């Protein structure tokens, strides 16, 4: 909570959940969190462009944090377009599609980059570009739930603050 306040978030609600949380269906999780619908249940995934060499131009996106709904499927072609747009916003010429291979960063590699284990990754305090799915941005409730930094801790964030305070870029990245 202190980290959320330090970052300037006025609405950041943390909720501890049971160790069996991830063994439950989405409807059960929705009810447990008091969410308005399963569409408010989201996750933070770190995607890496494995085609980007060590000598890449400054500003190229090697890793990106993507906030996506559990009910949606991340679509890599759309993610590549979003990463190209991020790079263009940094003044870089977009590379061709063959220069991108966006792969889920998992396990130890993800934990060493983020400091968070599987099912605990949170956008708070990460020094990564962030993409917010346009489906989350369109939620009527104005907020959503995701990992809170520990596998048994969930975090509710206000969409406007994820964009305005945390600097997320909204993009269509799901099928």
């Amino acid at each position: 909570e202190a980290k959320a306040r330090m970052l300037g978030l006025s609405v950041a609600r943390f909720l501890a959940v049971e160790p069996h949380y991830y063994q439950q269906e989405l409807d059960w999780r929705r009810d447990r969190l008091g969410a308005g619908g399963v569409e408010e249940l989201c996750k933070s995934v770190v995607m890496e462009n494995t085609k980007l060499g060590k000598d890449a131009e400054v500003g190229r996106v090697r890793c990106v944090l993507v906030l996506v709904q559990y009910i949606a499927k991340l679509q890599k072609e759309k993610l590549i377009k979003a990463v190209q747009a991020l790079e263009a916003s940094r003044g870089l010429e977009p590379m061709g599609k063959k220069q991108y291979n966006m792969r889920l960063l998992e396990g130890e590699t993800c934990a060493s980059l983020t400091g968070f284990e599987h099912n605990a990754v949170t956008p708070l305090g990460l020094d990564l570009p962030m993409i917010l799915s346009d489906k989350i941005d369109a939620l009527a409730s104005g907020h959503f739930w995701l990992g809170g930094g520990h596998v048994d801790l969930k975090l509710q964030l206000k969409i406007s603050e994820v964009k305005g305070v945390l600097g997320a870029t909204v993009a269509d990245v799901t099928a």
Side-chain angles (χ1 to χ4, degrees):
E1 290 183 24
K3 182 71 160 178
R5 282 193 301 277
M6 186 182 80
L7 291 170
L9 297 172
S10 64
V11 180
R13 180 176 163 221
F14 289 88
L15 184 66
V17 295
E18 298 78 8
H20 66 276
Y21 177 86
Y22 283 106
Q23 282 76 52
Q24 306 301 317
E25 297 293 325
L26 290 180
D27 289 341
W28 184 93
R29 295 184 208 177
R30 174 204 59 214
D31 295 345
R32 175 64 184 90
L33 298 174
V38 294
E39 63 277 357
E40 291 179 15
L41 306 181
C42 303
K43 57 187 169 182
S44 303
V45 294
V46 180
M47 301 296 289
E48 176 186 24
N49 181 4
T50 62
K51 294 264 180 116
L52 202 59
K54 300 282 185 213
D55 58 344
E57 281 180 275
V58 172
R60 291 285 174 205
V61 176
R62 179 174 312 282
C63 292
V64 62
L65 183 70
V66 184
L67 307 181
V68 64
Q69 296 166 306
Y70 272 102
I71 60 171
K73 180 167 175 39
L74 187 61
Q75 212 278 332
K76 288 186 182 181
E77 292 294 319
K78 289 181 176 183
L79 178 59
I80 288 169
K81 287 181 182 177
V83 169
Q84 287 172 320
L86 269 175
E87 291 176 343
S89 75
R90 296 173 173 188
L92 298 170
E93 287 289 322
M95 298 185 297
K97 280 198 298 187
K98 292 186 182 208
Q99 300 303 311
Y100 296 88
N101 180 39
M102 303 307 293
R103 177 184 67 89
L104 180 66
L105 204 60
E106 296 185 273
E108 293 294 321
T109 310
C110 185
S112 67
L113 177 69
T114 65
F116 302 112
E117 62 183 293
H118 181 67
N119 285 334
V121 176
T122 186
L124 301 184
L126 290 185
D127 187 23
L128 290 174
M130 188 183 322
I131 295 175
L132 176 72
S133 167
D134 64 333
K135 305 293 189 296
I136 298 172
D137 187 44
L139 290 173
S141 67
H143 58 261
F144 63 102
W145 288 91
L146 70 170
H150 184 278
V151 70
D152 297 333
L153 188 64
K154 302 302 150 218
L155 169 63
Q156 184 185 53
L157 291 174
K158 191 173 178 182
I159 295 165
S160 61
E161 290 191 340
V162 171
K163 296 184 297 184
V165 178
L166 299 182
T169 300
V170 177
D172 177 8
V173 292
T174 58

